[in-house]
Amino acid sequence: MRINRKYMLTATMSMLLIAAGCDRLQHWFGKGNSEQGFVKEIPAGADDNSNQVAMLLPDFTQLVEQQGPAVVNIQATRDNHTIDGESEDSTDALPDNDPFYEYFKHLLPNVPKTPQSNDDEYNFGSGFIISKDGYILTNTHVVNGMNNIKVLLNDKREFQAKLIGADTQSDVALLKISANELPVVQAGNPKHLKVGEWVAAIGAPFGFDNSVTAGIVSAKGRSLPEENYTPFIQTDVAINPGNSGGPLFNLKGQVVGINSQIYSRSGGFMGISFAIPIDVAMNVAEQLKATGKVQRGRLGVVIQEVNYNLAKSFGLNKANGALITQVVTGGPAAKAGLLAGDIVESVNGEELETSSDLPVRVGLLPPGKKIILGIWRKGKKEEISVILDNMSPAITNPPAIASTTMPTDGTNFTEQLLGLTLRATTKGLMIEDVSGIAAQVDLRHGDIIVAVGQKLVHDKNDFEQAVQASGKSLPLLIRRGSGTQYVALMLP
């Protein structure tokens, strides 16, 4: 994380949205007693009271003793600047008579000394050792654009690190130092994490190395803006500048995530932090080690969440999966015959709980991989095989639909029961007016109704036939601006 030195010295600086810091993994981490727990269970009440919840009081001392040595402090600079070079002391920004002067002078020994000229030339964060020969994981934003990276071990040794590779999209970077027989962390399985479970972070917030904070898992599979390929673990663990890239441990002492971001409206930590699942990070690390870059599979669809009303309108018993609203022309999905209105329920037999699960599952697979999608189409389950292609930066986002003024044939008609006045156009039915139930589901003037379910509609006859066939639950595919989405219109 990039830190303004003056803010660190006041210790009450404000922050915006900050980047804060499995069998296939054995070749990285080696073997160890990864099943040992670090928790003491104290009953909440008498044994015969089954309605009372047992309280878990975690004891993190063993975790810190056993896993702490594998956590490192990372200091990175740009160009020819060095952290240990000549610069004013970090306490010089405070006057000698300031009551905080002596406090920071003695308690911030590892804060990078940075000249006043450009704070963007200095980053510091955390990381952890994943192999005995010196491979280290951290966040990309800690080392991105920096050409002088120093790693400080728990035993006070210092090493210059080589950047093996960094992936901006996942915010995972892989470093290498020249050392052997190093302590390593043990990898856990994020899929086994439960909401409400205790977790702990070790890192160097504000330069205070080997600091431990703890909390619980608040949620799993969080999608953040511009982060569609990472199912973040949300916790209430205190994460501050300098924790970036540090490990998130479960109570077995296993790493389950990399601390990456926090969210705040006040400028300070507000109990919401996010970690990258370790399985996602290790998938990236393996590719960076092998080729220095990351390739992700691409399906070539635009999707949306399936809510209760949409599930009902498509005839599903429960709201899950990913609803396809657009198929990218010439992409893998189009070649395989996927259609707008298909609901992807599974990938290679693994069910999708939410729509955000689909890009995560696909992004973890390499281009050229053949996958089997379980879909729901027109009231029936089907399976379709798709061969993924490469999600290059140029096609990360699907092409937008052109938003232009379309000629009309001048025909207006009103569907009074639906609360819609429509005009036929060359691209679909434009909404001229909304009222009643149509207004309640946020249909708007200017929206273009492209299809009802998967039936394209061009005129009044098409629309009325599709409405009659759909019953009392209408999934309307609308075009709004440059995007498309389904809206469920429920008839009384």
Side-chain angles (χ1 to χ4, degrees), residues 128-338:
F128 52 97
I129 305 169
I130 60 173
S131 69
K132 292 185 177 182
D133 59 346
Y135 283 97
I136 296 170
L137 278 185
T138 187
N139 285 147
T140 294
H141 71 261
V142 173
V143 297
N144 193 32
M146 303 296 172
N147 53 19
N148 183 6
I149 304 170
K150 184 168 70 172
V151 172
L152 289 75
L153 303 188
N154 184 267
D155 60 9
K156 308 303 180 184
R157 286 185 292 170
E158 299 182 4
F159 294 88
Q160 288 298 123
K162 177 183 178 181
L163 179 61
I164 301 300
D167 179 50
T168 303
Q169 190 160 13
S170 65
D171 197 24
V172 173
L174 183 65
L175 307 179
K176 178 70 168 65
I177 61 175
S178 298
N180 293 296
E181 299 303 318
L182 295 172
V184 299
V185 297
Q186 297 295 323
N189 190 341
K191 294 180 181 179
H192 296 163
L193 272 181
K194 296 181 179 179
V195 175
E197 180 177 340
W198 282 94
V199 284
I202 303 179
F206 304 109
F208 292 101
D209 54 353
N210 297 304
S211 296
V212 184
T213 54
I216 62 170
V217 176
S218 304
K220 294 175 60 179
R222 285 291 194 219
S223 293
L224 302 180
E226 308 300 325
E227 300 284 356
N228 294 332
Y229 291 87
T230 302
F232 286 96
I233 303 167
Q234 180 186 332
T235 76
D236 67 351
V237 177
I239 300 299
N240 289 293
N243 279 114
S244 289
L248 182 73
F249 291 99
N250 63 16
L251 287 178
K252 295 178 181 178
Q254 301 167 329
V255 175
V256 291
I258 302 178
N259 297 308
S260 177
Q261 301 186 28
I262 69 169
Y263 177 77
S264 174
R265 290 190 176 186
S266 68
F269 176 70
M270 294 183 64
I272 302 178
S273 55
F274 300 96
I276 305 162
I278 191 62
D279 55 347
V280 173
M282 289 307 304
N283 177 281
V284 171
E286 289 170 353
Q287 294 190 59
L288 292 176
K289 183 181 179 183
T291 66
K293 62 181 181 179
V294 177
Q295 290 186 314
R296 293 179 174 86
R298 182 185 75 123
L299 185 57
V301 295
V302 181
I303 59 174
Q304 76 176 80
E305 191 68 32
V306 180
N307 60 32
Y308 175 80
N309 285 339
L310 280 173
K312 187 175 180 180
S313 69
F314 279 100
L316 287 171
N317 293 326
K318 60 179 181 178
N320 64 346
L323 174 58
I324 297 176
T325 63
Q326 181 186 349
V327 178
V328 178
T329 303
K335 294 176 181 178
L338 285 168

Side-chain angles (χ1 to χ4, degrees), residues 224-476:
L224 302 180
E226 308 300 325
E227 300 284 356
N228 294 332
Y229 291 87
T230 302
F232 286 96
I233 303 167
Q234 180 186 332
T235 76
D236 67 351
V237 177
I239 300 299
N240 289 293
N243 279 114
S244 289
L248 182 73
F249 291 99
N250 63 16
L251 287 178
K252 295 178 181 178
Q254 301 167 329
V255 175
V256 291
I258 302 178
N259 297 308
S260 177
Q261 301 186 28
I262 69 169
Y263 177 77
S264 174
R265 290 190 176 186
S266 68
F269 176 70
M270 294 183 64
I272 302 178
S273 55
F274 300 96
I276 305 162
I278 191 62
D279 55 347
V280 173
M282 289 307 304
N283 177 281
V284 171
E286 289 170 353
Q287 294 190 59
L288 292 176
K289 183 181 179 183
T291 66
K293 62 181 181 179
V294 177
Q295 290 186 314
R296 293 179 174 86
R298 182 185 75 123
L299 185 57
V301 295
V302 181
I303 59 174
Q304 76 176 80
E305 191 68 32
V306 180
N307 60 32
Y308 175 80
N309 285 339
L310 280 173
K312 187 175 180 180
S313 69
F314 279 100
L316 287 171
N317 293 326
K318 60 179 181 178
N320 64 346
L323 174 58
I324 297 176
T325 63
Q326 181 186 349
V327 178
V328 178
T329 303
K335 294 176 181 178
L338 285 168
L339 304 171
D342 288 342
I343 297 177
V344 182
E345 297 186 298
S346 65
V347 177
N348 291 335
E350 293 187 38
E351 290 190 2
L352 305 179
E353 291 296 325
T354 66
S355 62
S356 60
D357 290 341
L358 180 60
V360 171
R361 300 274 179 85
V362 171
L364 288 173
L365 300 173
K369 179 76 173 180
K370 180 179 179 180
I371 62 173
I372 304 297
L373 298 180
I375 68 168
W376 180 263
R377 175 184 290 177
K378 297 181 178 179
K380 298 187 300 182
K381 290 182 179 289
E382 297 184 21
E383 288 189 346
I384 292 182
S385 61
V386 184
I387 299 178
L388 303 177
D389 69 6
N390 185 27
M391 189 191 70
S392 66
I395 56 174
T396 297
N397 296 314
I401 300 173
S403 180
T404 58
T405 301
M406 295 167 290
T408 68
D409 63 9
T411 303
N412 280 30
F413 63 95
T414 299
E415 295 291 337
Q416 191 169 4
L417 182 62
L418 306 181
L420 290 171
T421 299
L422 305 172
R423 176 187 295 270
T425 75
T426 58
K427 299 295 184 181
L429 302 177
M430 178 180 290
I431 298 178
E432 294 289 336
D433 188 34
V434 295
S435 61
I437 60 174
Q440 295 174 12
V441 297
D442 195 33
L443 289 172
R444 307 174 188 175
H445 169 74
D447 288 346
I448 305 293
I449 299 177
V450 178
V452 178
Q454 292 183 300
K455 178 176 175 55
L456 297 176
V457 292
H458 301 94
D459 53 33
K460 180 178 180 180
N461 289 334
D462 288 345
F463 186 74
E464 291 182 344
Q465 290 176 10
V467 169
Q468 186 175 5
S470 298
K472 292 184 176 295
S473 302
L474 307 179
L476 304 180

